[in-house]
Amino acid sequence: MIKFAAIDIGSNAVRCQISSVLEYNQHVTFKKVEYIRYPMRLGEDVFDTGYISAPKQEKFINFLHALKLLIEVHEVQAYQVCATSAMRTAKNASEIIQKVQEKLGMKIEVIDGVAEAELINKVILNVLDDKNYLHIDVGGGSTEFNIYVNREKVASQSFESGSIRHMQGNDSETIWTNMKRWVKENAKKYHVNRAIGTGGNINKIYDLAGKSAGKPIFKKQIEEIVEQMAVMKLEDRINIMLLNPDRADVIVPAAEIYLAAMRWSKVESMIVPSVGLKDGMMQSLYEKFVAKRNN
């Protein structure tokens, strides 16, 4: 059986998904066989000091080594490792990437916001209908906006503002002004009437709202959950709402970005499909595999 692996090195967490590829009646399904998420928090160092610290480097390389062994055990045909905002920003990123290459033989691709959005685009198209959508993807270090009209992307922009940057106060007023301007102008231009949200924090808010898969969540519902969490102590979010510690502190800053974008675009509802960068990477791996197989 064909298996692929996608490793997403984000600013908050590192995720690895291993999936089997099921090809049946000209339809392809990626069946998840392993999923691991570790709160590496690279952005915590980078957005504060500009560097990834030595202790965190060691932990990062050890974790990638563990993932490499897991990939080998699963006899994966191909894998891809992508790093986003934190690694884009880190002044010692090239040094760390070289260490990983030398020690583990693993190539890390540092992708920009455009490439990140393009990978996510591969799976977002599967859940769209004929409404005009503002896609909001909030990561730890950056936020990607895309606008879809008739299932076609017509505008896209990445901003260096995300949940960790916002929590630490490292996203400037200028960035927020630029985000607001971009969203308002493009939402009006393309007559946006619904949002689509991706990212771990909006997925958790969607779960907390008790929404059924495929059903939209309304801005008012997001606001109510955020208001409830905002007045809670961190330990209460962990023990009462059962949030992971690395989710409990960033969920409100992330939600503020989603809600701001919904207000700027004047949309009242959002769909929240459980897809992200790793799913787009999986699709990309499959497309390359098919192209190679056909040649």
Side-chain angles (χ1 to χ4, degrees), residues 142-186:
S142 66
T143 296
E144 275 66 51
F145 293 114
N146 303 286
I147 292 182
Y148 294 90
V149 175
N150 293 326
R151 302 185 73 250
E152 182 181 344
K153 184 158 69 172
V154 294
S156 180
Q157 187 65 49
S158 177
F159 294 92
E160 293 295 287
S161 176
S163 59
I164 293 180
R165 285 189 200 265
H166 191 38
M167 179 180 68
Q168 293 178 334
N170 288 323
D171 52 352
S172 69
E173 189 176 327
T174 302
I175 287 175
W176 273 76
T177 300
N178 291 339
M179 285 200 301
K180 181 178 181 179
R181 182 185 302 116
W182 191 92
V183 171
K184 289 185 80 168
E185 287 178 358
N186 285 279

Coordinates of all heavy atoms in Angstrom, one line a residue, residues 142-186:
S142 N 1.9 33.7 11.3 CA 1.4 34.5 10.1 C -0.1 34.1 9.9 O -0.6 33.1 10.4 CB 2.2 34.1 8.9 OG 2.0 32.8 8.5
T143 N -0.7 35.0 9.2 CA -2.1 34.8 8.8 C -2.2 34.9 7.3 O -1.7 35.9 6.7 CB -3.1 35.8 9.4 OG1 -3.0 35.6 10.9 CG2 -4.5 35.7 8.9
E144 N -2.9 33.9 6.6 CA -3.1 34.0 5.2 C -4.5 34.2 4.9 O -5.4 33.6 5.5 CB -2.6 32.6 4.5 CG -1.2 32.5 4.2 CD -0.3 32.5 5.5 OE1 -0.6 31.7 6.4 OE2 0.7 33.3 5.5
F145 N -4.8 35.2 4.0 CA -6.1 35.4 3.5 C -6.2 35.1 2.0 O -5.3 35.4 1.2 CB -6.5 36.9 3.6 CG -6.6 37.4 5.0 CD1 -5.6 38.4 5.5 CD2 -7.6 37.0 5.9 CE1 -5.7 38.8 6.8 CE2 -7.6 37.5 7.2 CZ -6.7 38.4 7.7
N146 N -7.3 34.4 1.7 CA -7.6 34.1 0.2 C -9.0 34.4 0.0 O -9.9 34.2 0.9 CB -7.3 32.6 0.0 CG -5.9 32.2 0.3 OD1 -5.0 32.5 -0.4 ND2 -5.7 31.5 1.4
I147 N -9.3 34.8 -1.2 CA -10.7 35.0 -1.6 C -11.1 34.1 -2.8 O -10.3 34.1 -3.8 CB -11.0 36.5 -1.9 CG1 -10.9 37.3 -0.6 CG2 -12.4 36.7 -2.6 CD1 -11.2 38.8 -0.8
Y148 N -12.2 33.4 -2.7 CA -12.6 32.5 -3.7 C -14.0 32.9 -4.2 O -14.9 33.3 -3.5 CB -12.8 31.1 -3.1 CG -11.5 30.4 -2.6 CD1 -11.1 30.6 -1.4 CD2 -10.7 29.7 -3.5 CE1 -9.9 30.0 -0.9 CE2 -9.6 29.1 -3.1 CZ -9.1 29.3 -1.8 OH -8.0 28.7 -1.4
V149 N -14.1 33.0 -5.6 CA -15.3 33.3 -6.3 C -15.6 32.1 -7.2 O -14.7 31.8 -8.1 CB -15.2 34.6 -7.0 CG1 -16.5 34.8 -7.8 CG2 -15.0 35.8 -6.0
N150 N -16.7 31.5 -7.1 CA -17.0 30.3 -8.0 C -15.9 29.3 -7.9 O -15.5 28.8 -8.9 CB -17.3 30.8 -9.4 CG -18.6 31.6 -9.5 OD1 -19.5 31.4 -8.8 ND2 -18.5 32.6 -10.5
R151 N -15.5 29.0 -6.7 CA -14.4 28.0 -6.5 C -13.1 28.3 -7.1 O -12.3 27.4 -7.3 CB -14.9 26.6 -6.9 CG -16.2 26.2 -6.2 CD -16.6 24.7 -6.5 NE -15.7 23.8 -5.8 CZ -14.9 23.0 -6.5 NH1 -14.7 23.1 -7.8 NH2 -14.1 22.1 -5.8
E152 N -12.9 29.6 -7.4 CA -11.6 30.0 -8.0 C -11.0 31.0 -7.1 O -11.7 32.0 -6.7 CB -11.8 30.5 -9.4 CG -10.5 30.9 -10.1 CD -10.7 31.4 -11.5 OE1 -11.8 31.2 -12.1 OE2 -9.8 32.1 -12.0
K153 N -9.7 30.9 -6.8 CA -9.0 31.9 -6.0 C -8.7 33.1 -6.8 O -8.1 33.0 -7.9 CB -7.7 31.3 -5.4 CG -7.0 32.3 -4.4 CD -6.1 31.6 -3.5 CE -4.9 31.1 -4.2 NZ -3.9 30.6 -3.2
V154 N -9.2 34.3 -6.3 CA -9.1 35.5 -7.1 C -8.2 36.5 -6.4 O -7.7 37.5 -7.0 CB -10.4 36.2 -7.4 CG1 -11.3 35.3 -8.3 CG2 -11.2 36.5 -6.1
A155 N -7.8 36.3 -5.1 CA -7.0 37.2 -4.4 C -6.4 36.5 -3.2 O -7.0 35.6 -2.7 CB -7.7 38.5 -3.9
S156 N -5.1 36.9 -2.9 CA -4.4 36.2 -1.8 C -3.4 37.2 -1.2 O -2.7 37.9 -1.9 CB -3.7 35.0 -2.3 OG -3.0 34.3 -1.3
Q157 N -3.2 37.1 0.2 CA -2.2 37.9 0.8 C -1.8 37.3 2.1 O -2.7 36.7 2.9 CB -2.7 39.3 1.1 CG -1.7 40.3 1.6 CD -0.6 40.6 0.6 OE1 -0.9 40.8 -0.6 NE2 0.6 40.5 1.0
S158 N -0.5 37.3 2.5 CA 0.0 36.8 3.7 C 0.5 38.0 4.6 O 1.1 38.9 4.1 CB 1.1 35.8 3.5 OG 1.7 35.4 4.7
F159 N 0.2 37.9 5.9 CA 0.6 38.9 6.9 C 1.3 38.3 8.0 O 0.9 37.2 8.5 CB -0.6 39.7 7.4 CG -1.3 40.6 6.3 CD1 -2.3 40.0 5.6 CD2 -0.8 41.8 6.0 CE1 -3.0 40.8 4.6 CE2 -1.5 42.6 5.0 CZ -2.6 42.1 4.4
E160 N 2.4 38.9 8.5 CA 3.2 38.4 9.6 C 2.5 38.8 10.9 O 3.1 39.5 11.8 CB 4.6 39.0 9.6 CG 5.4 38.5 8.4 CD 5.7 37.0 8.4 OE1 6.5 36.5 9.2 OE2 5.0 36.2 7.6
S161 N 1.3 38.2 11.1 CA 0.6 38.3 12.4 C -0.1 37.0 12.6 O -0.8 36.5 11.7 CB -0.4 39.4 12.3 OG -1.2 39.5 13.5
G162 N 0.2 36.4 13.8 CA -0.5 35.1 14.1 C -0.7 35.0 15.6 O -0.5 36.0 16.3
S163 N -1.1 33.9 16.1 CA -1.5 33.8 17.5 C -0.4 34.0 18.5 O -0.6 34.8 19.5 CB -2.1 32.4 17.7 OG -1.1 31.4 17.4
I164 N 0.8 33.5 18.2 CA 1.9 33.8 19.1 C 2.4 35.2 19.0 O 2.7 35.9 20.0 CB 3.1 32.8 18.9 CG1 2.7 31.3 19.2 CG2 4.3 33.1 19.7 CD1 3.7 30.3 19.0
R165 N 2.6 35.7 17.8 CA 3.0 37.1 17.6 C 2.0 38.0 18.3 O 2.4 39.0 19.0 CB 3.1 37.5 16.1 CG 4.3 36.9 15.4 CD 4.3 37.6 14.0 NE 5.1 36.8 13.0 CZ 6.4 37.1 12.7 NH1 7.0 38.0 13.4 NH2 7.0 36.3 11.8
H166 N 0.7 37.8 18.1 CA -0.3 38.6 18.7 C -0.3 38.5 20.2 O -0.4 39.6 20.9 CB -1.7 38.2 18.1 CG -2.8 39.2 18.5 ND1 -2.6 40.6 18.5 CD2 -4.1 39.0 18.8 CE1 -3.7 41.1 18.8 NE2 -4.7 40.2 19.0
M167 N -0.1 37.3 20.8 CA -0.1 37.1 22.2 C 1.1 37.9 22.8 O 1.0 38.5 23.9 CB 0.0 35.6 22.5 CG 0.1 35.3 24.0 SD 0.2 33.5 24.3 CE 1.9 33.1 23.6
Q168 N 2.3 37.8 22.1 CA 3.5 38.5 22.6 C 3.5 40.0 22.3 O 4.4 40.7 22.8 CB 4.7 37.8 22.0 CG 4.9 36.4 22.5 CD 6.2 35.8 21.8 OE1 6.6 36.2 20.7 NE2 6.7 34.8 22.4
G169 N 2.5 40.5 21.6 CA 2.5 41.9 21.2 C 3.6 42.2 20.1 O 4.0 43.4 20.0
N170 N 4.0 41.2 19.3 CA 5.0 41.4 18.3 C 4.4 41.6 16.9 O 5.2 41.6 15.9 CB 6.0 40.2 18.3 CG 6.9 40.2 19.5 OD1 7.3 41.2 20.0 ND2 7.1 39.0 20.0
D171 N 3.1 41.8 16.8 CA 2.5 42.2 15.5 C 2.2 43.7 15.6 O 1.5 44.1 16.5 CB 1.3 41.4 15.2 CG 0.3 41.3 16.2 OD1 0.5 41.8 17.4 OD2 -0.8 40.8 16.0
S172 N 2.7 44.5 14.7 CA 2.6 45.9 14.8 C 1.3 46.5 14.4 O 0.5 45.8 13.7 CB 3.7 46.6 13.9 OG 3.4 46.4 12.6
E173 N 1.0 47.7 14.8 CA -0.2 48.4 14.5 C -0.3 48.5 13.0 O -1.4 48.5 12.4 CB -0.3 49.7 15.2 CG -1.6 50.4 15.0 CD -1.7 51.7 15.8 OE1 -1.0 51.8 16.9 OE2 -2.4 52.7 15.3
T174 N 0.9 48.7 12.3 CA 0.9 48.9 10.9 C 0.4 47.6 10.2 O -0.4 47.7 9.2 CB 2.3 49.2 10.4 OG1 2.8 50.4 11.1 CG2 2.4 49.4 8.9
I175 N 0.8 46.4 10.7 CA 0.4 45.2 10.1 C -1.1 45.1 10.2 O -1.8 44.7 9.2 CB 1.1 44.0 10.7 CG1 2.5 43.9 10.3 CG2 0.4 42.7 10.4 CD1 3.4 42.9 10.9
W176 N -1.7 45.4 11.4 CA -3.1 45.3 11.6 C -3.9 46.3 10.6 O -4.9 46.0 10.1 CB -3.5 45.6 13.0 CG -3.5 44.3 13.8 CD1 -2.4 43.6 14.2 CD2 -4.6 43.5 14.2 NE1 -2.7 42.5 14.9 CE2 -4.1 42.3 14.9 CE3 -6.0 43.6 14.0 CZ2 -4.9 41.3 15.4 CZ3 -6.8 42.6 14.5 CH2 -6.2 41.5 15.2
T177 N -3.3 47.5 10.5 CA -3.9 48.4 9.6 C -3.9 47.9 8.1 O -4.9 48.0 7.4 CB -3.1 49.8 9.6 OG1 -3.2 50.3 11.0 CG2 -3.8 50.8 8.7
N178 N -2.8 47.3 7.7 CA -2.7 46.7 6.4 C -3.6 45.6 6.2 O -4.2 45.4 5.1 CB -1.3 46.3 6.1 CG -0.3 47.5 6.0 OD1 -0.8 48.6 5.7 ND2 1.0 47.3 6.2
M179 N -3.8 44.7 7.2 CA -4.7 43.6 7.1 C -6.1 44.1 7.0 O -6.9 43.6 6.1 CB -4.6 42.7 8.4 CG -3.4 41.8 8.5 SD -3.6 40.4 9.6 CE -3.9 41.2 11.2
K180 N -6.5 45.1 7.8 CA -7.8 45.6 7.7 C -8.1 46.2 6.4 O -9.2 45.9 5.8 CB -8.0 46.7 8.8 CG -9.4 47.3 8.9 CD -9.4 48.4 10.0 CE -10.8 49.0 10.1 NZ -10.9 50.0 11.2
R181 N -7.2 47.0 5.8 CA -7.4 47.6 4.5 C -7.6 46.5 3.4 O -8.5 46.6 2.6 CB -6.2 48.5 4.2 CG -6.4 49.2 2.8 CD -5.1 50.0 2.5 NE -4.8 51.0 3.5 CZ -3.7 51.0 4.2 NH1 -2.8 50.1 4.0 NH2 -3.4 51.9 5.1
W182 N -6.7 45.5 3.5 CA -6.7 44.5 2.4 C -8.1 43.7 2.5 O -8.7 43.5 1.4 CB -5.6 43.5 2.6 CG -5.4 42.6 1.4 CD1 -4.6 42.7 0.3 CD2 -6.1 41.3 1.2 NE1 -4.8 41.7 -0.6 CE2 -5.7 40.8 0.0 CE3 -7.0 40.6 2.0 CZ2 -6.1 39.6 -0.5 CZ3 -7.5 39.4 1.5 CH2 -7.1 38.9 0.2
V183 N -8.5 43.3 3.7 CA -9.7 42.5 3.8 C -10.9 43.3 3.4 O -11.8 42.9 2.7 CB -9.9 42.0 5.3 CG1 -11.3 41.4 5.5 CG2 -8.8 41.0 5.6
K184 N -11.0 44.6 3.9 CA -12.2 45.4 3.6 C -12.3 45.7 2.1 O -13.4 45.5 1.5 CB -12.1 46.7 4.3 CG -12.3 46.6 5.8 CD -12.3 48.0 6.5 CE -13.7 48.7 6.4 NZ -13.8 49.8 7.2
E185 N -11.1 46.0 1.5 CA -11.2 46.4 0.0 C -11.5 45.2 -0.8 O -12.4 45.2 -1.7 CB -9.8 46.9 -0.4 CG -9.5 48.3 0.1 CD -8.1 48.8 -0.3 OE1 -7.4 48.0 -0.9 OE2 -7.8 50.0 0.0
N186 N -10.9 44.0 -0.5 CA -11.2 42.8 -1.3 C -12.5 42.2 -1.1 O -13.1 41.6 -2.0 CB -10.0 41.8 -1.2 CG -8.8 42.3 -1.9 OD1 -8.7 42.1 -3.1 ND2 -7.9 42.9 -1.2

